[in-house]
């Protein structure tokens, strides 16, 4: 990235002026930060930290030693200038404003006040060409309690250099307190750092590194995330932190010794195994910040040199802990040998838009620094506030240094992780790390559990409530018909059927089917559009014990032929309108001919029992067959028994408050299982089913139908809901969205607040594969603007989210719903 990106809009260029002789160009790393800052807009890319000190500080002395160290490193007084469209950097002592001093002891909570001030300061927008790039402050929060705060823009100094600077200031301060001379500091000046960078980029080593990364990153997957989504970068990360317990720290030391390793590869392997379990991905890629300081002089110096490279680890189901640690060792070794090849160059070689992909994956920041800072007689502790903008998740690991315990911090984008979620992830990683370290090296990583006993028990106890006693569909219909036989069962335009009429007519048709040899475990194809005849045919078929197969007569002939052949349907019911378009050789009974009507009228209209059926009917028998599109495009038949119908009907009555006074909508295609849902929605409670004409699917026509027929309950797909205006549908107080993903705007439009002048409209979201008797999960009533979920399992149903080895996964982990 040799060209300087455009300047920030509105910044005045200093063209035509004399460029100071000591000015030098920017390094590739600085150009990368400049470009990143343009993308980040007003969010400053800064390093901010503070040292907490208990004891009396000589602030004047700290200011003096800070000024000396800032001159030694150069970065503390860095200024950027634009000369004729080219960016340069130089050291400018006039930018020294000293250490700001704030006494917060009078605040209600000085610690909180200090934190708030520091957060505001490090997130304040910075004009890179005019504002001070570095700021220091002393925040007094107690009589002998201080926060020594420092912030510097990443274009002037990276994290490694920032630690060098802080430690040098502490060294100078401590020496001055002791009355001795501090040892001299041999550092590279900024021009030398730029020259070293330019020499590398024109060397054979650069080309060799490029070839390595091009080969290593072939097919590099998109970044994984524990959040499962992305969000704009943030300057204020959420933070949670903890030190390893003594026992876990001891185990870490033991594993490190056993594998002849350092702590870094072991922790990299553990994090990769954790992410594999949490995301379900085996190709784990981490973003690894590196110092890119490959020589002793660079390691002693300041400047912006740091880089980020990808670490790619394969964590398959059979990968052992020992193998993964070895892979992490090799991966780290290769990456560190070639750590000077810039992230920007890697992304360019990959063809990735760096403005869209800010990282390769979750960031693992291994910080082998001593967090204890000696300031004369006092021992302060370093706290990192931010290492830059956070796009997803930073895992900061402070390995054991100088007798301290390994510490693991999570810094996360607050738009992706709330406090509770972040703390759960952090706690789960620490628990997983303990299992990882205590397991044998030959153990498979995939066998390590992500759950503790309590979590596992809770996840395996997800049920929608007690199971309703199973019953057959004919029994459910008989119960509905017996409640009030004069009540309207079906209305279709001017056509109305009472429950008594529907019951008796369907019994007569059922006896004809039985006479035709139809019985339990046979299949009857019903090729009828949405209509009272279709409902009558379903009631009649199920009374015989046979399974009904609804077929849209307007389907392509080859699709219908496949469904009839695959289902081995024994008989079909249709009308004269469709007889010429339906395939043979299946025998079709035309239920609208005068002869057939006469035959029906001669049949007994009494109840159908097992005495009348050719074979007994049990709940384990097939109730209906439906054909889904199938993953291959060939319709796939699903046979559904009677066992789940009573649970579904009971769930509908309780969750949606269905009563005999309710008026429910039938608008689903007969070939979809939503039509079965609509059948039970009405008949399961003795309510009235309002049937939409076959040509009505949504829009103004369906809206008008709902309004004029006073429908109270409706199951409608999001696609249809989007075409309708709910403003005047005051009687429609319950809507279930199902069949597709519901969108937030639909929820906002259709759900109504409880404080309206009309009855509030409750909006539910349902889900279920055809195999689970239409619906397995359903939300509660969703509030306008609230989150959209599919809720928990319905009555009599257990729901589990399982990985590819059929093990429960933690909340928030993407896996398969069973």
């Amino acid at each position: 990235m040799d060209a300087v990106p455009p300047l920030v809009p509105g910044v005045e260029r200093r063209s035509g002026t004399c460029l100071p002789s000591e000015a030098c160009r920017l390094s590739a790393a600085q150009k990368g930060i400049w470009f990143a800052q343009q993308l980040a807009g007003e969010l400053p890319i800064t390093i901010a930290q503070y040292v907490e000190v208990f004891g009396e500080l000589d602030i004047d002395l700290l200011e003096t030693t800070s000024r000396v160290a800032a001159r030694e490193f150069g970065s503390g007084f860095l200024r950027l200038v634009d000369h004729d469209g080219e960016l340069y950097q130089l050291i400018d002592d006039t930018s020294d404003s000293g250490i700001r001093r704030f006494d917060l002891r009078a605040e209600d909570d000085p610690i909180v006040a200090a934190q708030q001030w520091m957060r505001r300061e490090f997130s304040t927008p910075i004009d890179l060409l005019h504002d001070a790039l570095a700021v220091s402050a002393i925040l007094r929060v107690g009589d002998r309690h201080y926060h020594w705060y420092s912030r510097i823009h990443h274009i002037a100094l990276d994290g490694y250099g920032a630690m060098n600077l802080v430690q040098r200031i502490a060294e100078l301060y401590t020496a001055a307190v002791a009355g001795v001379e501090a040892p001299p500091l041999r550092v590279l000046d900024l021009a030398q750092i730029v020259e070293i960078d330019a020499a590398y980029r024109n060397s054979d080593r650069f080309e060799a590194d490029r070839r390595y990364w091009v080969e290593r990153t072939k097919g590099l997957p998109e970044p994984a995330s524990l959040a499962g989504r992305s969000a704009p970068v943030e300057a204020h990360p959420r933070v949670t932190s903890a030190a390893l317990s003594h026992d876990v720290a001891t185990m870490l030391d033991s594993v490190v010794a056993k594998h002849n390793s350092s702590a870094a590869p072991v922790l990299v392997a553990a994090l990769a195994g954790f992410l594999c379990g949490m995301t379900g991905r085996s190709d784990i890629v981490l973003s690894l910040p590196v110092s890119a300081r490959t020589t002793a002089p660079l390691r002693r110096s300041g400047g912006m040199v740091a880089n980020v490279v990808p670490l790619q680890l394969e964590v398959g189901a059979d990968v052992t802990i020992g193998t993964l640690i070895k892979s992490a060792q090799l991966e780290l070794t290769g990456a560190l040998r070639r750590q000077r090849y810039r992230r920007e160059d890697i992304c360019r070689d990959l063809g990735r838009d760096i403005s869209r992909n800010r990282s390769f994956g979750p960031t693992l920041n291994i910080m082998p620094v001593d967090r204890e800072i000696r300031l004369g007689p006092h021992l302060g502790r370093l706290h990192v506030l931010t290492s830059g903008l956070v796009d997803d998740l930073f895992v900061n690991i402070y390995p054991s240094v100088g007798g301290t315990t390994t510490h693991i911090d999570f810094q996360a984008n607050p738009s992706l992780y709330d406090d509770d979620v972040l703390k759960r992830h952090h706690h789960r990683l620490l628990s997983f790390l303990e299992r990882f370290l205590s397991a044998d090296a030959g153990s498979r990583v995939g066998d390590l559990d992500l759950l503790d006993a309590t979590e596992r028990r809770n996840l395996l106890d997800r049920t929608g409530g007690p199971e309703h006693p199973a019953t057959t569909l004919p029994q459910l219909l008989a119960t509905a018909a017996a409640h009030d036989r004069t009540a309207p069962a079906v209305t279709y335009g001017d056509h109305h059927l009472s429950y008594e009429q529907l019951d008796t007519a369907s019994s007569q048709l059922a006896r004809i089917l039985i006479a035709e040899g139809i019985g339990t475990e046979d299949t009857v194809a019903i090729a009828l559009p949405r209509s009272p005849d279709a409902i009558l045919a379903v009631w009649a078929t199920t009374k015989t014990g046979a399974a009904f197969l609804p077929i849209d007569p307007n389907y392509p002939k080859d699709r219908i032929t496949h469904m009839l052949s695959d289902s081995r349907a024994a008989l079909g019911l249709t009308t004269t309108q469709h007889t010429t378009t339906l395939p043979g050789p299946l025998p079709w009974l035309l239920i609208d001919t005068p002869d057939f009507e006469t035959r029906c009228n001669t049949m007994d209209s009494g109840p159908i029992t097992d005495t009348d059926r050719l074979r007994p009917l049990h709940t384990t028998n097939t109730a209906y067959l439906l054909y889904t599109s199938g993953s291959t495009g060939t319709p796939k038949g699903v046979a559904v028994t009677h066992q789940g119908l009573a649970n579904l009907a009971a769930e509908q009555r309780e969750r949606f408050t269905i009563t005999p006074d309710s008026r429910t909508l039938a608008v689903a295609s007969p070939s979809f299982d939503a039509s079965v849902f609509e059948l039970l929605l009405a008949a399961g409670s003795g309510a009235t089913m309002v049937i939409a004409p076959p040509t009505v699917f949504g829009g103004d026509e369906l809206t008008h139908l709902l309004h004029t027929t006073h429908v109270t309950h409706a199951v409608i797909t999001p696609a249809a809901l989007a075409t309708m205006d709910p403003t005047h549908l005051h009687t429609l107080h319950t809507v279930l969205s199902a069949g597709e993903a519901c969108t937030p705007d639909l929820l906002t439009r259709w759900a109504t607040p409880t404080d309206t002048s009309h009855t509030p409209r409750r909006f539910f979201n349902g889900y279920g594969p055809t195999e689970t008797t239409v619906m397995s999960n359903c939300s509660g009533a969703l509030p306008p603007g609230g989150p959209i979920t599919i809720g928990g399992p319905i009555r009599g149903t257990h729901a589990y989210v399982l990985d590819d080895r059929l093990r429960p996964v933690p909340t928030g982990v993407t896996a398969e719903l069973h």
Side-chain angles (χ1 to χ4, degrees):
M1 184 183 289
D2 295 323
V4 177
L7 298 179
V8 179
V11 171
E12 180 184 358
R13 289 184 172 179
R14 301 179 180 181
S15 303
T17 60
C18 181
L19 186 68
S21 60
E22 68 272 19
C24 66
R25 297 177 185 272
L26 303 189
S27 67
Q30 289 175 301
K31 292 175 184 177
I33 293 295
W34 174 271
F35 179 69
Q37 184 62 80
Q38 312 314 301
L39 297 175
E42 292 191 342
L43 292 176
I45 305 176
T46 58
I47 299 167
Q49 57 199 19
Y50 70 96
V51 179
E52 186 174 23
V53 182
F54 290 91
E56 284 302 329
L57 273 182
D58 186 336
I59 301 176
D60 290 335
L61 178 59
L62 185 64
E63 183 174 73
T64 299
T65 55
S66 295
R67 187 174 290 120
V68 171
R71 289 196 184 97
E72 288 177 332
F73 282 90
S75 301
F77 296 139
L78 185 74
R79 180 164 66 88
L80 301 181
V81 295
D82 169 28
H83 181 71
D84 291 334
E86 183 75 36
L87 279 179
Y88 291 84
Q89 58 184 326
L90 53 84
I91 307 305
D92 181 7
D93 286 3
T94 64
S95 64
D96 177 20
S97 59
I99 294 182
R100 301 179 188 179
R101 308 177 189 204
F102 300 92
D103 191 337
L104 303 178
R105 288 177 291 176
E107 298 288 336
D108 292 338
D109 191 328
I111 302 294
V112 171
Q115 292 290 332
Q116 291 174 341
W117 183 90
M118 290 187 290
R119 285 171 64 87
R120 284 196 303 271
E121 203 290 324
F122 75 69
S123 58
T124 299
I126 298 174
D127 182 334
L128 293 182
L129 296 181
H130 296 98
D131 294 338
L133 300 181
V135 168
S136 293
I138 287 289
L139 309 174
R140 190 168 190 176
V141 294
D143 290 342
R144 292 170 52 83
H145 190 187
Y146 300 87
H147 287 176
W148 171 29
Y149 168 82
S150 58
R151 181 270 296 163
I152 192 163
H153 197 279
H154 230 311
I155 203 167
L157 199 64
D158 57 30
Y160 196 101
M163 281 306 307
N164 284 344
L165 180 60
V166 168
Q167 288 168 343
R168 178 58 175 173
I169 295 170
E171 183 179 45
L172 292 169
Y173 180 94
T174 300
V177 169
V180 299
E181 285 290 328
L185 184 66
R186 300 189 306 274
V187 300
L188 300 171
D189 62 36
L190 298 180
Q192 289 174 308
I193 293 174
V194 173
E195 288 172 4
I196 290 171
D197 175 66
Y200 164 71
R201 295 183 68 80
N202 289 294
S203 69
D204 293 338
R205 180 60 184 270
F206 177 83
E207 283 302 315
D209 290 349
R210 184 189 67 79
R211 289 192 297 271
Y212 171 83
W213 284 115
V214 167
E215 181 63 31
R216 192 70 190 90
T217 57
K218 280 183 180 177
L220 196 72
E222 289 295 310
S225 171
L226 293 180
R229 56 194 176 91
S230 61
V233 294
E234 288 283 350
H236 289 161
R238 294 193 194 278
V239 180
T240 186
S241 175
L244 299 186
S245 68
H246 174 74
D247 290 344
V248 175
T250 301
M251 284 190 284
L252 176 59
D253 292 339
S254 175
V255 172
V256 166
K258 185 183 300 182
H259 290 272
N260 191 27
S261 173
S262 64
V266 176
L267 294 171
V268 166
L271 178 59
F274 173 74
L275 291 171
C276 172
M278 292 292 289
T279 64
R281 291 176 53 166
S282 60
D283 50 347
I284 300 300
V285 182
L286 304 174
S287 293
L288 179 72
V290 290
S291 70
R293 297 170 185 265
T294 55
T295 66
L298 275 173
R299 286 192 287 271
R300 292 193 298 266
S301 303
M304 168 55 199
V305 182
N307 190 21
V308 178
V309 295
L311 285 182
Q312 187 171 10
L313 293 165
E314 186 66 28
V315 194
D318 295 325
V319 171
T320 65
I321 290 174
T323 300
L324 188 57
I325 292 175
K326 183 65 175 177
S327 297
Q329 287 175 320
L330 294 173
E331 187 72 13
L332 276 167
T333 299
L336 293 177
R337 283 177 179 170
R338 299 158 180 89
Q339 61 181 294
R340 297 178 69 184
Y341 194 75
R342 301 291 311 161
R343 176 188 66 163
E344 297 85 1
D345 295 316
I346 294 174
C347 288
R348 181 198 62 213
D349 296 338
L350 279 169
R352 282 191 178 181
D353 181 358
I354 198 168
S355 65
R356 188 177 64 86
N357 292 280
R358 299 187 63 87
S359 67
F360 301 108
T363 299
L364 176 63
N365 199 7
I366 301 173
M367 307 176 76
V369 296
D370 193 344
R371 300 178 76 178
E372 293 184 340
I373 306 295
R374 172 67 64 180
L375 287 166
H378 309 304
L379 195 62
R381 184 162 182 80
L382 178 73
H383 299 267
V384 177
L385 293 167
T386 181
S387 302
L389 301 181
V390 177
D391 60 342
D392 189 278
L393 180 67
F394 271 61
V395 180
N396 294 325
I397 297 179
Y398 299 87
S400 174
V401 176
T404 62
T405 302
T406 296
H407 212 87
I408 298 181
D409 292 352
F410 272 18
Q411 290 188 344
N413 188 328
S415 297
L416 297 176
Y417 304 91
D418 61 31
D419 284 330
D420 289 340
V421 169
L422 189 64
K423 288 175 182 176
R424 284 201 303 270
H425 284 321
H426 187 260
H427 172 74
R428 186 169 288 116
L429 173 62
L430 295 181
S431 299
F432 180 85
L433 177 61
E434 182 174 358
R435 298 185 188 103
F436 184 91
L437 296 173
S438 61
D440 184 80
S443 301
R444 295 187 301 183
V445 178
D447 290 339
L448 298 180
D449 207 336
L450 290 168
L451 304 170
D452 58 33
T454 301
E455 233 179 352
R456 175 179 291 277
R457 185 166 54 252
N458 290 338
L459 290 171
L460 292 177
D461 195 31
R462 299 288 177 89
T463 179
E467 188 168 3
H468 197 281
T471 187
T472 65
L473 183 54
Q475 288 172 319
L476 286 171
L477 300 179
T479 300
H483 181 266
D484 183 354
R485 295 181 67 77
T486 62
V490 173
T491 178
Y492 178 73
D494 296 330
H495 190 163
H496 307 283
L497 285 176
S498 67
Y499 272 99
E500 180 177 24
Q501 291 171 318
L502 186 57
D503 187 33
T504 56
S506 62
S507 291
Q508 290 175 319
L509 177 54
R511 294 185 190 281
I512 292 178
L513 296 176
I514 293 171
E516 295 287 338
I518 298 300
T520 303
E521 289 302 320
D522 287 327
T523 299
V524 174
I526 301 176
L528 294 168
R530 199 165 52 226
S531 62
D533 282 342
I535 302 300
L536 176 66
V538 167
W539 276 52
T541 300
T542 197
K543 285 183 176 183
T544 70
F548 61 90
L549 168 62
I551 292 177
D552 187 333
N554 295 313
Y555 273 168
K557 192 170 184 177
D558 58 347
R559 180 180 176 91
I560 296 176
T561 299
H562 170 76
M563 294 165 67
L564 295 177
S565 171
D566 187 66
S567 67
R568 299 178 184 175
L571 188 70
L573 297 176
T574 188
T575 59
T576 52
Q577 177 186 353
H578 303 291
T579 183
T580 57
T581 60
L582 292 170
L586 185 74
W588 292 96
L589 295 183
L590 306 182
I591 63 173
D592 61 340
T593 64
D595 289 345
F596 192 86
E597 291 177 8
T598 300
R599 186 180 177 189
C600 277
N601 292 333
T602 63
M603 293 293 174
D604 182 2
S605 63
I608 305 290
T609 66
D610 273 350
T611 303
D612 305 291
R613 297 185 185 105
L614 300 180
R615 293 175 289 277
L617 175 61
H618 304 288
T619 57
T620 55
N621 292 127
T622 302
Y624 58 90
L625 268 73
L626 288 174
Y627 277 78
T628 65
S629 59
S631 58
T632 62
T634 301
K636 180 186 69 173
V638 178
V640 182
T641 70
H642 295 262
Q643 287 178 300
L645 295 171
N647 280 327
L648 180 58
E651 186 75 23
Q652 290 173 329
R653 287 193 298 271
E654 295 171 10
R655 188 177 295 261
F656 307 129
T657 321
I658 306 289
T659 70
D661 294 327
S662 300
R663 294 173 67 82
T664 69
L665 176 68
V667 72
S669 166
S671 293
F672 291 110
D673 60 357
S675 63
V676 177
F677 191 94
E678 293 171 338
L679 176 71
L680 288 177
L681 192 64
S685 302
T688 302
M689 176 189 286
V690 177
I691 301 176
T695 56
V696 173
F697 302 100
D700 293 341
E701 289 180 311
L702 185 56
T703 305
H704 179 73
L705 177 72
L706 293 172
H707 177 70
T708 56
T709 58
H710 309 295
V711 167
T712 60
H713 295 72
V715 185
I716 308 177
T717 64
L721 286 172
T723 68
M724 301 168 64
D725 180 2
T727 304
H728 302 295
L729 298 178
H730 302 313
T731 63
L732 182 63
H733 57 70
T734 302
V735 174
L736 172 65
S737 169
E740 301 162 348
C742 182
T743 58
D745 63 304
L746 286 180
L747 174 59
T748 300
R749 285 177 54 209
W750 283 88
T752 58
T754 56
D755 57 354
T756 61
S757 58
H758 302 284
T759 303
R761 182 181 301 114
R762 300 178 304 159
F763 189 94
F764 299 84
N765 190 41
Y767 166 81
T770 301
E771 292 84 347
T772 62
T773 317
V774 189
M775 185 173 75
S776 62
N777 291 64
C778 190
S779 72
L782 299 174
I788 299 174
T789 76
I790 62 169
I794 69 168
R795 169 188 288 272
T797 302
H798 293 263
Y800 308 104
V801 181
L802 308 178
D803 63 17
D804 56 3
R805 301 172 71 183
L806 300 183
R807 300 175 306 177
V809 298
T811 300
V813 174
T814 300
E816 294 285 348
L817 178 63
H818 292 253

